[in-house]
Amino acid sequence: MKQTHLTETRFNNLELSDSILRSLNEAGFTFCSPIQDKALPLLLRDKDIAGQAQTGTGKTATFLLALFQHLLNDGQAEPDDEEDDDEYGDDDGHTHAKIIAPRASTPPKTKQNPRALVLAPTRELAIQIHKDALLLSKHLDLKFALVYGGTDYEKQREKIKSNVDIIIGTPGRVIDFYKQKIFSLDHIKATVMDEADRMFDLGFIKDIRYLLHRMPPPDQRLNMLFSATLSYKVTELAYEHMNNPVLIRIESEEVTSKAIAQSAFCPSNEQKLPLLIGILNQYQPLRSIIFVNTKRCAEQLDDTLNANGYKTAALSGDVPQDKRQRLLNDFQENRITLLIATDVAARGLHIADVSHVFNYDLPQDVEDYVHRIGRTARFGASGEAISFVCEQYAYSMPDIESYIGQKIPVKAITKDLLADIIIPAKRPRPPRPNGDRSKRSSKPYPPKAPPTTPENPQ
């Protein structure tokens, strides 16, 4: 998590507790980003917010800081100065401040947990939110449970049963544990819905409404919703389940960040691989993401780049969760320098210091272009996005340029950019589920039926 110097508003001028400010200071946060500057003063006065902001603009810190302060105001114990440095570790190895008495001005209260729920559309985003929450709550007496599908079922179940303050997770796994009565939603004091537009895209909206209907009424909790776009369906969700939310739109002159240098090449299909490797040879990026449109293309690209000396890994929707996390950790720690990903990874990945994003295949959805290139130039850094306008996906470029409101400069393909490459052997294709092809009938397919006409009705 890095600091973004975008406004003159300092965090220490906001109504935040000393313990929160201490965590912010140690994390290197001094000035607010635009979404923090607009939303935090309202949230700290218990006003609900529906905010529009792109990823990488500080919205995670926005809702976490407001959430923590709201729970503190509700009577949560806060470490005193003498015991701030005494900490203990829980079973998961997370560090929490030592349990101490509440403020003298606040009468002790019996905990009835969980008191807050943060919902995210993807495992990766939930994991990143949890990581940031631990950083920003370092000097607070708060316990978290991170829950998501695909792995660690019993471990997550036991963690929730240990009486945590805040649950951070994906809707499906949260509902699973709720229906088992592992926890109650009766005492929720604050809710967060992050990347609400993505919730709709992934079909989670019924799950979201299921959970919201089982919480205290909207006027009895602080509600926060964040989305890349405040579309009609997102604002409808906000007005239905929030308490007169204030809509905050962080508009910029451009849909994409000015810190991203965008460019494009127009290769033939046969030139794409030599051009990609030629650019990689010339730029030598330390950490880059290459986006493709299909799993098969990701596998072929993974094989080719590895054969040509690059450490890569392919990330697609059907990669098991444990392997997925291992690949992301290897990428973050530079054991892998190039991550090849389909659009399932375009959102929710919060990886620092990605210098280049390559659209090896142009996305077929214009919003996916923005989400893809937004993986670079995060938190005030600069980055570069290079797109291939190939024969197969060239039709997407006019729509992309119209959406982002600018022309993407096209560069010439020179001979020195077309590398000589090693073509690896093709991967063996997995057997078809209906058995060995050799055992199938060799009879020819039946002829097509004649067209339907008045004389030949079907």
Side-chain angles (χ1 to χ4, degrees):
M1 209 181 218
K2 293 186 178 181
Q3 181 182 355
T4 308
H5 296 273
L6 290 175
T7 74
E8 296 181 358
T9 302
R10 294 174 177 264
F11 286 103
N12 59 14
N13 290 333
L14 301 176
E15 298 175 69
L16 293 168
S17 76
D18 290 341
S19 297
I20 292 176
L21 289 174
R22 183 178 174 187
S23 296
L24 282 167
N25 184 58
E26 292 178 3
F29 283 77
T30 303
F31 296 94
C32 295
S33 69
I35 186 65
Q36 294 160 356
D37 182 42
K38 296 285 187 183
L40 274 173
L42 294 170
L43 290 169
L44 295 175
R45 297 295 179 95
D46 293 334
K47 288 291 297 180
D48 287 7
I49 289 295
Q52 174 180 303
Q54 299 294 332
T55 57
T57 56
K59 62 184 175 63
T60 303
T62 303
F63 64 70
L64 287 176
L65 295 174
L67 175 60
F68 297 160
Q69 189 62 54
H70 186 74
L71 295 185
L72 288 172
N73 294 344
D74 188 54
Q76 170 66 31
E78 195 173 9
D80 62 23
D81 293 338
E82 294 180 359
E83 295 187 340
D84 258 350
D85 293 329
D86 294 330
E87 298 175 338
Y88 70 93
D90 63 16
D91 293 337
D92 290 342
H94 298 145
T95 301
H96 302 280
K98 186 177 178 180
I99 299 176
I100 48 83
R103 301 177 189 176
S105 60
T106 305
K109 292 186 178 182
T110 302
K111 288 186 178 181
Q112 294 176 312
N113 295 351
R115 295 184 298 134
L117 177 64
V118 180
L119 295 170
T122 65
R123 310 164 199 169
E124 289 76 23
L125 183 55
I127 291 168
Q128 184 61 45
I129 292 170
H130 180 253
K131 180 181 178 181
D132 292 344
L134 293 176
L135 177 68
L136 295 179
S137 67
K138 184 177 178 181
H139 299 290
L140 300 176
D141 180 26
L142 293 172
K143 291 184 178 181
F144 303 88
L146 172 62
V147 299
Y148 53 85
T151 187
D152 293 338
Y153 189 88
E154 287 301 323
K155 184 178 179 181
Q156 294 175 13
R157 190 173 184 271
E158 291 304 311
K159 184 64 179 178
I160 292 182
K161 290 172 67 176
S162 69
N163 200 29
V164 297
D165 297 281
I166 301 169
I167 294 176
I168 300 169
T170 52
R173 180 60 65 90
V174 171
I175 287 179
D176 184 357
F177 288 140
Y178 175 77
K179 288 184 175 180
Q180 295 182 53
K181 299 183 178 180
I182 305 301
F183 67 94
S184 168
L185 294 171
D186 295 343
H187 306 290
I188 293 294
K189 299 293 184 181
T191 60
V192 177
M193 292 169 279
D194 196 14
E195 294 201 357
D197 52 342
R198 188 64 166 161
M199 300 279 198
F200 278 97
D201 293 343
L202 296 176
F204 286 141
I205 200 59
K206 289 185 179 179
D207 293 340
I208 299 296
R209 288 196 167 102
Y210 175 90
L211 292 167
L212 292 171
H213 279 305
R214 284 153 180 80
M215 297 178 188
D219 61 354
Q220 296 180 22
R221 62 179 196 257
L222 178 65
N223 304 283
M224 292 168 274
L225 177 150
F226 289 88
S227 179
T229 57
L230 287 180
S231 61
Y232 173 79
K233 58 187 179 183
V234 172
T235 52
E236 183 182 43
L237 176 71
Y239 285 121
E240 181 182 355
H241 293 286
M242 300 172 72
N243 182 28
N244 297 320
V246 178
L247 302 185
I248 295 179
R249 289 181 170 88
I250 302 302
E251 303 287 359
S252 60
E253 294 179 6
E254 298 174 342
V255 175
T256 54
S257 170
K258 291 181 179 179
I260 304 173
Q262 301 177 67
S263 61
F265 292 90
C266 297
S268 65
N269 288 341
E270 292 75 19
Q271 289 178 318
K272 285 180 75 175
L273 274 171
L275 178 61
L276 176 64
I277 294 176
I279 292 174
L280 292 174
N281 291 341
Q282 186 175 103
Y283 281 72
Q284 293 292 315
L286 295 178
R287 186 181 294 169
S288 299
I289 301 177
I290 303 171
F291 282 105
V292 297
N293 288 347
T294 65
K295 174 190 172 185
R296 186 175 182 185
C297 181
E299 292 174 345
Q300 292 172 342
L301 201 53
D302 186 29
D303 292 341
T304 303
L305 289 173
N306 274 280
N308 285 270
Y310 286 94
K311 296 178 181 179
T312 68
L315 191 64
S316 58
D318 59 353
V319 173
Q321 180 61 21
D322 54 349
K323 182 180 179 182
R324 185 183 187 87
Q325 284 307 121
R326 186 172 68 251
L327 292 178
L328 290 175
N329 288 337
D330 287 345
F331 185 56
Q332 289 176 317
E333 296 173 13
N334 292 324
R335 289 189 290 269
I336 293 170
T337 56
L338 296 171
L339 184 67
I340 304 162
T342 57
D343 279 312
V344 71
R347 296 195 190 187
L349 287 182
H350 297 259
I351 299 171
D353 303 324
V354 173
S355 61
H356 291 75
V357 167
F358 295 89
N359 285 306
Y360 185 78
D361 295 333
L362 274 182
Q364 296 166 286
D365 186 316
V366 292
E367 290 188 7
D368 285 337
Y369 176 82
V370 176
H371 291 302
R372 286 182 180 189
I373 71 171
R375 299 311 97 197
T376 187
R378 300 179 66 79
F379 305 111
S382 60
E384 189 164 351
I386 300 172
S387 299
F388 286 4
V389 188
C390 67
E391 301 169 35
Q392 187 174 2
Y393 298 110
Y395 65 87
S396 295
M397 183 54 80
D399 292 336
I400 289 171
E401 291 180 328
S402 175
Y403 181 72
I404 66 175
Q406 65 183 96
K407 287 287 185 181
I408 299 174
V410 176
K411 295 183 177 180
I413 300 174
T414 57
K415 287 185 178 180
D416 62 309
L417 283 180
L418 295 175
D420 294 327
I421 64 173
I422 300 170
I423 302 296
K426 291 185 177 180
R427 293 189 186 191
R429 299 189 69 177
R432 297 199 175 190
N434 292 333
D436 192 334
R437 297 178 63 157
S438 62
K439 297 180 180 179
R440 295 185 183 180
S441 171
S442 59
K443 294 180 180 180
Y445 288 105
K448 290 183 179 180
T452 302
T453 64
E455 293 79 23
N456 181 35
Q458 296 295 311

